[in-house]
Amino acid sequence: MKRVIYPGTFDPITNGHIDIIQRACRIFDDVTVAVAESTGKNTLFTSQERLVMVKKTLKQLHINAKATIFDGLLVDFVRKYNATVIVRGLRAVSDFEVEFQMALMNRKLDEEVETLFLMPKDTYSYLSSSIIKQIARLNGSVKAFVPKHVERELRVKYGFRK
Ligand code: COA
């Protein structure tokens, strides 16, 4: 049984991330979404809040994947978790350089860990968590890009709802 890890910040999870998780589930038996505790990014949601949103999404959509928080080096987590594959989404050419660097660095840190790239549906290729936050902060609708409960959490964070 191949166990794979889909790591990211998920601040917050978007339909693009969900698309990648579903694709990974079609290929692998055991998929774990790994929510990074700290990534150097100034996150809007705490790691716990991000994890809860991921878990709720998986449950609501009946996606057979697990979710957990990880801290420290990704390869250390992958090894500790008895996985060998990291899944990442490639949305556009602009993702390539940073993903290439990360994949090769992770390989340097642990030769047994492979990174596998999946392409999300083209309609999600322009999505990012930052752009979602920008729209939500300005009271725009993000209904088409995130699950309903995530939209609600964004509205609460930005003070448009209690
Ligand atoms: N659909 C929509 N958006 C997507 C997406 C998809 N399929 N795939 C990625 N994104 C977006 C994210 O929302 C995010 O947007 P943002 O920058 O506006 O927040 C951006 O693309 C990239 O984010 P993410 O996929 O979460 O990756 P990341 O770069 O934030 O996190 C980690 C990368 C956590 C995996 C990496 O930092 C890590 O491994 N950290 C642990 C420490 C470590 O091991 N470092 C050495 C690595 S070589």
Side-chain angles (χ1 to χ4, degrees):
M1 184 145 87
K2 277 265 179 258
R3 177 172 283 175
V4 302
I5 304 294
Y6 177 39
T9 309
F10 304 106
D11 186 42
I13 185 166
T14 70
N15 291 346
H17 295 127
I18 297 168
D19 182 78
I20 296 292
I21 300 168
Q22 286 173 319
R23 284 173 202 282
C25 286
R26 273 184 237 133
I27 308 172
F28 297 99
D29 315 300
D30 191 332
V31 177
T32 297
V33 181
V35 178
E37 172 79 53
S38 51
T39 57
K41 285 185 181 175
N42 211 348
T43 58
L44 174 67
F45 295 98
T46 65
S47 55
Q48 201 56 41
E49 288 170 331
R50 287 180 275 133
L51 176 68
V52 168
M53 284 187 281
V54 171
K55 283 192 167 170
K56 199 165 179 177
T57 302
L58 298 177
K59 195 169 172 195
Q60 279 187 351
L61 298 175
H62 307 289
I63 298 173
N64 186 21
K66 290 176 262 202
T68 186
I69 290 180
F70 84 99
D71 204 5
L73 273 184
L74 178 60
V75 286
D76 287 344
F77 172 77
V78 170
R79 208 180 298 131
K80 225 170 52 201
Y81 214 73
N82 284 327
T84 47
V85 181
I86 295 168
V87 166
R88 294 285 291 169
L90 258 193
R91 291 161 298 169
V93 183
S94 50
D95 279 347
F96 183 77
E97 210 167 326
V98 61
E99 291 297 338
F100 188 68
Q101 183 187 31
M102 220 155 54
L104 289 185
M105 183 51 85
N106 281 329
R107 181 184 284 166
K108 193 86 189 155
L109 293 170
D110 187 333
E111 280 206 0
E112 282 173 26
V113 173
E114 276 312 329
T115 304
L116 188 81
F117 294 101
L118 297 177
M119 271 167 282
K121 202 169 165 181
D122 51 356
T123 44
Y124 299 139
S125 61
Y126 59 91
L127 271 194
S128 76
S129 296
S130 299
I131 209 160
I132 300 285
K133 283 180 280 191
Q134 192 183 110
I135 297 166
R137 182 168 54 85
L138 300 171
N139 201 15
S141 170
V142 292
K143 212 161 47 193
F145 314 118
V146 295
K148 220 176 171 58
H149 66 94
V150 172
E151 188 200 4
R152 205 163 43 233
E153 294 303 328
L154 282 164
R155 292 188 66 76
V156 170
K157 272 280 180 210
Y158 288 122
F160 295 115
R161 193 189 163 133
K162 275 199 186 145

